[in-house]
Amino acid sequence: MIESLDAFTVTVEYGPSHTTFLLHPKGQREPTARMHKDSAYDARSSLRVYTGARLDEPGGYVSEFEAMTAQRVKMGTIRYRERTWRPDEWTFTQHDLGVLSGLPEGLGSTLRHSFPLRAVLDHFWGDALFSYRLRFRSPESEGFALVRLAGVRARYKVTVRDPRISRLLVLACVTQFNTYATSDPRKAAQEYLMPMPPRSRAAGRHPGR
């Protein structure tokens, strides 16, 4: 069960008609869960979470903004707000734990996402050269840490400090970060592989004819 994991990594696979996240427990090469949708990464549809020995047992639903159990019980929400003069604002709201704020942790993460360095270091070079660590916590919970590991391709490491934290909601946080706050050339490549919609005759007709 993914809800018992306290340390794992997440990798992403992209295709023009699918997006898949694989969850690997610490020290294991084989994934213990996968998130999947039959559409490109930027399509507004939820990912289905699968667990079990064959990764085919329903485990819940995840989007960039929320997570639900397999019975569609909502676990909470994720919010992200980009800011210019201060670090971006991350909010992890779990129904039974309240609100946890996500802040950069460590000198490198803090400097990279603070003005003026963030104004000259774009996502591509920053992500390729530096890891970025976010620590989510509140006075009531030690929360969890999310790290976007350095490299051209996006990979994530999660360490859970509070066993009450919903791993499904953590995966929603990973999904939102992957969509809005990091670069990966494989995402851009999918835009060129997407088929163009057929052009109607009316669309190509001169408006004066």
Side-chain angles (χ1 to χ4, degrees):
M1 293 292 293
I2 62 173
E3 295 298 342
S4 64
L5 297 176
D6 57 9
F8 54 90
T9 58
V10 182
T11 57
V12 196
E13 298 175 355
Y14 299 100
S17 59
H18 81 90
T19 306
T20 303
F21 292 73
L22 296 174
L23 190 155
H24 303 260
K26 184 178 181 179
Q28 295 186 28
R29 296 186 62 182
E30 295 299 320
T32 192
R34 68 184 177 103
M35 298 189 295
H36 177 83
K37 63 180 179 181
D38 293 321
S39 57
Y41 79 95
D42 56 351
R44 292 302 179 94
S45 55
S46 297
L47 295 116
R48 293 175 178 264
V49 180
Y50 296 95
T51 62
R54 297 184 178 181
L55 302 183
D56 58 359
E57 299 176 10
Y61 302 87
V62 165
S63 74
E64 295 94 339
F65 308 103
E66 63 182 18
M68 295 186 290
T69 66
Q71 295 74 36
R72 294 192 178 274
V73 177
K74 191 172 180 179
M75 306 301 297
T77 57
I78 307 295
R79 293 290 180 267
Y80 165 65
R81 184 163 67 97
E82 188 173 10
R83 301 190 293 187
T84 301
W85 304 102
R86 290 180 292 171
D88 297 342
E89 185 175 82
W90 293 87
T91 304
F92 178 99
T93 305
Q94 184 172 325
H95 292 330
D96 57 346
L97 283 182
V99 179
L100 285 72
S101 296
L103 294 173
E105 185 174 68
L107 182 61
S109 297
T110 302
L111 286 176
R112 182 194 158 192
H113 284 265
S114 299
F115 190 84
L117 188 58
R118 68 177 299 163
V120 298
L121 193 64
D122 65 13
H123 275 316
F124 178 81
W125 288 110
D127 291 340
L129 297 174
F130 305 104
S131 292
Y132 179 42
R133 181 182 179 90
L134 278 172
R135 180 62 188 276
F136 288 83
R137 60 180 138 193
S138 71
E140 294 76 28
S141 173
E142 281 298 298
F144 66 97
L146 168 63
V147 182
R148 197 285 191 189
L149 298 169
V152 173
R153 293 188 173 191
R155 295 179 303 124
Y156 303 92
K157 182 173 70 173
V158 173
T159 305
V160 178
R161 304 295 186 186
D162 183 344
R164 299 172 297 172
I165 289 289
S166 166
R167 278 51 164 193
L168 284 173
L169 197 55
V170 170
L171 292 176
C173 190
V174 172
T175 304
Q176 185 166 123
F177 191 100
N178 189 73
T179 301
Y180 297 109
T182 192
S183 65
D184 190 316
R186 296 173 300 165
K187 291 193 294 186
Q190 297 311 312
E191 298 178 3
Y192 293 98
L193 297 176
M194 290 291 290
M196 295 294 291
R199 189 179 182 186
S200 68
R201 292 183 179 179
R205 192 175 300 162
H206 192 281
R209 295 179 182 176

